[in-house]
Amino acid sequence: MDVGFIGLGRMGRPMASNLCRKGFRLTVNDINPDAVAELALLQARPAATVAEAAAAGQVIVTMLPNSAVVDQVVAGAEGVLAHAKPGSVVLDMSTIDPETTDRLAAQAAERGIGFVDAPVGRLASHADRGESLFMVGATDEHFARVRPLLEAMGSTIHHCGPVGSGTRTKLVNNFLAVASCQMNAEALALSQRFGLALETTLEVLYGTTAVNGQLKIAWPSKVLKGDIEPGFTIDLAHKDLTLIVEAANAARVPMPMAAAAREAFSTARSRGFGDKDFSAMVDALCDLASIEKPRLR
């Protein structure tokens, strides 16, 4: 299968690499020439423009940072829809707002081009190993078309429903993932204020229903070890919370915790933590309270 792949960031690069290793013919484009050069070493063909990558693919994959960039890359004058072949399929794996997904899918259909939204679950380290999880919104026909690519990039695939279902499922998932990060930060900051031993406190929490995957699995290898370099940044978490709040407002679903969590992430960004791993919320909160940062020995 010929694949155009646009967006070779921290998540897109390992996914494209896995496709190359598993026999797909890739034409790749990114604003970072070093990322393109890295894929060229795996026999991907560099594309100087989005238009060139789009014209080369039976499936055109986009893995981009936000709604505005996806809109420009897919629907812009020199974008994917203007240059993709009729009968091809756009596979957008970005996390964006549902309205943009719906609009792009409709524009694609007008041109005889399929559209699939398949945002990614799990972390960049899972993408490295080809163990990503995908939440897919697609017709049965288009899901069948893109499934071989998803199987090459991940280990878990959920067909959530028609176009737009994947994006909406991702927002539901990320609300829990990101909001619980804020709750963890508050809990550990309070434990520090109380002067509690971190190891003992964690042992107690791990044995109760207070436990969650971040606090037990992700955090001990990240912020609690002093590693706040990103897998998933506070800036991106703030973006996802904004998408969640806006989608909830549009649907008339009150979500005060989501709004409060977004403002907490806004505070962390204002204090220079935006490009750090989102587990660093606990460091940002401890800074605000002038508390020593929690660290495992």
Side-chain angles (χ1 to χ4, degrees):
M1 186 186 296
D2 291 311
V3 178
F5 201 111
I6 302 163
L8 302 173
R10 181 62 185 91
M11 294 291 282
R13 197 175 334 171
M15 290 180 174
S17 298
N18 282 320
L19 290 176
C20 286
R21 293 187 181 101
K22 294 178 182 179
F24 293 89
R25 297 182 296 272
L26 263 64
T27 300
V28 298
N29 172 264
D30 192 86
I31 59 173
N32 178 4
D34 292 339
V36 174
E38 182 177 323
L39 266 294
L41 295 175
L42 296 175
Q43 309 306 312
R45 186 170 72 85
T49 64
V50 166
E52 184 181 349
Q58 297 164 283
V59 175
I60 303 97
V61 180
T62 51
M63 185 63 176
L64 299 165
N66 57 50
S67 302
V69 174
V70 173
D71 188 44
Q72 178 62 34
V73 167
V74 175
E78 294 302 315
V80 172
L81 297 183
H83 295 276
K85 301 179 183 74
S88 58
V89 177
V90 176
L91 171 59
D92 180 38
M93 299 193 298
S94 317
T95 299
I96 61 175
D97 68 83
E99 290 77 13
T100 298
T101 295
D102 295 345
R103 177 166 43 78
L104 294 178
Q107 291 175 308
E110 290 172 359
R111 295 173 178 263
I113 297 167
F115 194 95
V116 175
D117 56 301
V120 184
R122 300 178 181 158
L123 304 173
S125 57
H126 293 96
D128 293 338
R129 300 191 298 269
E131 297 174 356
S132 293
L133 177 150
F134 297 102
M135 295 157 261
V136 185
T139 65
D140 290 342
E141 175 192 353
H142 293 145
F143 178 61
R145 288 271 301 277
V146 302
R147 184 162 192 154
L149 282 79
L150 299 176
E151 289 174 341
M153 294 183 286
S155 57
T156 306
I157 302 166
H158 297 286
H159 188 187
C160 300
V163 174
S165 300
T167 295
R168 288 170 169 85
T169 302
K170 179 67 182 286
L171 295 189
V172 172
N173 178 82
N174 279 27
F175 167 63
L176 291 177
V178 176
S180 64
C181 185
Q182 171 64 16
M183 291 188 289
N184 288 339
E186 292 178 12
L188 291 192
L190 185 62
S191 78
Q192 294 296 107
R193 175 66 81 196
F194 287 162
L196 301 175
L198 177 61
E199 288 80 1
T200 303
T201 300
L202 290 176
E203 185 177 355
V204 171
L205 297 178
Y206 292 166
T208 74
T209 54
V211 72
N212 63 76
Q214 289 185 58
L215 195 59
K216 187 173 183 179
I217 300 170
W219 282 33
S221 64
K222 290 295 292 180
V223 65
L224 301 184
K225 287 292 188 182
D227 177 8
I228 58 174
E229 290 309 305
F232 183 65
T233 65
I234 283 174
D235 280 337
L236 286 174
H238 181 271
K239 181 205 77 171
D240 285 358
L241 282 167
T242 298
L243 294 174
I244 291 155
V245 169
E246 290 176 351
N249 285 341
R252 298 181 182 272
V253 177
M255 296 185 71
M257 175 62 193
R262 179 176 66 170
E263 292 314 302
F265 277 75
S266 293
T267 300
R269 296 173 79 211
S270 74
R271 296 181 66 84
F273 285 86
D275 62 348
K276 302 305 181 184
D277 188 82
F278 76 143
S279 63
M281 284 299 296
V282 66
D283 285 5
L285 195 63
C286 287
D287 277 358
L288 278 169
S290 300
I291 303 169
E292 183 178 352
K293 297 180 179 68
R295 295 291 185 262
L296 289 167
R297 292 189 293 273

